[in-house]
């Protein structure tokens, strides 16, 4: 039987003890009908702990840590700026890309993004349940594309654009420790938006000869990056 895995905040781990207080996690534990002395895995975003349940309190489950293992990091810190698509496609993006353990997903308000807002809380829950690598991706509040600033020198800034026909990932040097990736919404980025991003140091790239739906483009680009970095 597989052992259940739960995310906790770092301040819930003290020495060899962990106190689980998140209400949704507690509901999940109750639904699984876990009992004292059963084994569980605890994750805090950096490490994975094997633990044994010790006690059930009214608003807390206490467990004793048996072992600790560091969670492997990706060779680069990837931030995905995803042009906000129609509902529920953003949820698909978060679900797929969270499994890689990238650093951050930023919903990007573009000219072709729908006017209706998103529920960031729901996206955060999806990221939590989809973090197969054990590293929890940060889901940021939406930002306007035109409010983006030039990244630091240690960041490679990539802009996926269907009008770029020549430059591919394999043509680039991937030596920088941080990578920003911009994916447009349905209909893509406008020429004006691409020009703005290029002015910030963005490098336009094409994925493949085929056009991909926006909810798959980020996943494909991240996969290609990790392949070139020999991380998969």
């Amino acid at each position: 039987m597989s052992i259940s895995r739960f995310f906790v905040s770092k301040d819930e781990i003290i020495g060899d003890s962990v106190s689980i207080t998140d209400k949704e996690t507690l509901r999940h534990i109750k639904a699984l009908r876990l009992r004292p002395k059963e084994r569980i895995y605890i994750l805090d975003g950096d490490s994975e702990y094997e633990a044994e349940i010790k006690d059930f309190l009214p608003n807390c489950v206490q467990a004793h840590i048996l072992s600790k293992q560091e969670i492997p990091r990706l060779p680069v810190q990837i931030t995905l700026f995803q042009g906000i698509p129609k509902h529920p496609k953003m949820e698909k993006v978060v679900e797929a890309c969270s499994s890689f353990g990238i650093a951050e997903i930023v919903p990007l308000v573009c000219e072709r993004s729908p006017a209706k807002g998103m529920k960031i809380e729901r996206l955060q829950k999806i990221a939590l349940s989809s973090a197969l690598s054990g590293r929890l991706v940060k889901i940021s509040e939406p930002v306007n594309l035109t409010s983006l600033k030039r990244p630091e020198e240690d960041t490679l800034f990539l802009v996926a654009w269907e009008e770029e026909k020549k430059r591919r990932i394999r043509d680039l040097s991937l030596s920088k420790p941080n990578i920003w990736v911009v994916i447009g919404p349905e209909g893509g980025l406008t020429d004006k938006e691409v020009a703005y991003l290029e002015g910030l140091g963005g490098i336009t790239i094409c994925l493949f000869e085929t056009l991909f739906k926006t909810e798959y483009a980020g996943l494909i680009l991240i996969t290609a990056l990790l392949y070139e970095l020999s991380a998969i």
Side-chain angles (χ1 to χ4, degrees):
M1 188 175 77
S2 61
I3 301 178
S4 301
R5 304 162 84 232
F6 304 100
F7 276 94
V8 300
S9 61
K10 292 181 184 296
D11 58 8
E12 290 180 308
I13 299 174
I14 301 176
D16 60 359
S17 297
V18 57
S19 298
I20 303 172
T21 59
D22 178 72
K23 291 182 179 179
E24 187 154 337
T25 303
L26 293 175
R27 282 197 294 270
H28 191 189
I29 291 173
K30 183 178 180 181
L32 291 171
R33 298 185 178 182
L34 296 177
R35 297 289 184 264
K37 294 189 177 182
E38 288 197 63
R39 300 288 178 91
I40 57 175
Y41 284 124
I42 299 295
L43 303 104
D44 65 5
D46 290 320
S47 303
E48 181 177 71
Y49 307 82
E50 184 176 1
E52 181 180 271
I53 295 176
K54 302 301 289 184
D55 199 7
F56 287 82
L57 302 178
N59 298 306
C60 171
V61 170
Q62 294 182 332
H64 175 69
I65 293 173
L66 303 172
S67 63
K68 174 183 177 181
Q69 182 177 348
E70 295 298 317
I71 298 171
R73 293 180 177 273
L74 292 179
V76 294
Q77 294 291 294
I78 300 174
T79 298
L80 172 64
F81 293 86
Q82 172 66 53
I84 299 173
K86 295 177 182 176
H87 181 76
K89 294 179 180 179
M90 192 68 188
E91 295 180 3
K92 294 181 180 179
V93 172
V94 171
E95 181 178 13
C97 295
S98 293
S99 63
F100 282 106
I102 66 173
E104 186 175 2
I105 298 175
V106 183
L108 196 62
V109 181
C110 305
E111 287 187 31
R112 291 171 175 155
S113 293
K116 189 176 179 180
M118 292 181 314
K119 296 181 179 179
I120 297 299
E121 228 176 77
R122 170 149 178 80
L123 295 182
Q124 290 170 337
K125 289 180 180 178
I126 292 171
L128 181 65
S129 64
S130 305
L132 300 180
S133 71
R135 290 199 172 275
L136 185 59
V137 62
K138 177 183 178 183
I139 307 296
S140 296
E141 292 291 329
V143 300
N144 287 301
L145 182 144
T146 52
S147 70
L148 290 181
K149 305 298 182 185
R150 180 181 288 271
E152 300 294 331
E153 290 296 324
D154 65 352
T155 300
L156 178 64
F157 187 6
L158 304 179
V159 180
W161 191 36
E162 61 271 17
E163 295 302 321
E164 176 58 61
K165 304 301 183 183
K166 295 182 178 180
R167 190 184 297 115
R168 298 172 184 264
I169 291 174
R170 62 172 176 261
D171 301 322
L172 304 173
S173 170
L174 302 178
S175 59
K176 295 186 177 182
N178 302 297
I179 299 179
W180 283 9
V181 173
V182 175
I183 302 291
E186 289 110 332
L189 300 167
T190 65
D191 291 349
K192 182 179 177 182
E193 288 173 325
V194 172
Y196 177 80
L197 296 172
E198 288 181 317
L200 300 179
I203 301 170
T204 56
I205 59 168
C206 64
L207 293 179
F208 300 97
E209 299 294 334
T210 307
L211 290 178
F212 294 98
K213 292 182 178 181
T214 184
E215 62 265 40
Y216 303 129
L219 173 64
I220 292 167
L221 181 46
I222 291 169
T223 304
L225 282 169
L226 295 179
Y227 175 80
E228 291 296 330
L229 290 162
S230 300
I232 56 174

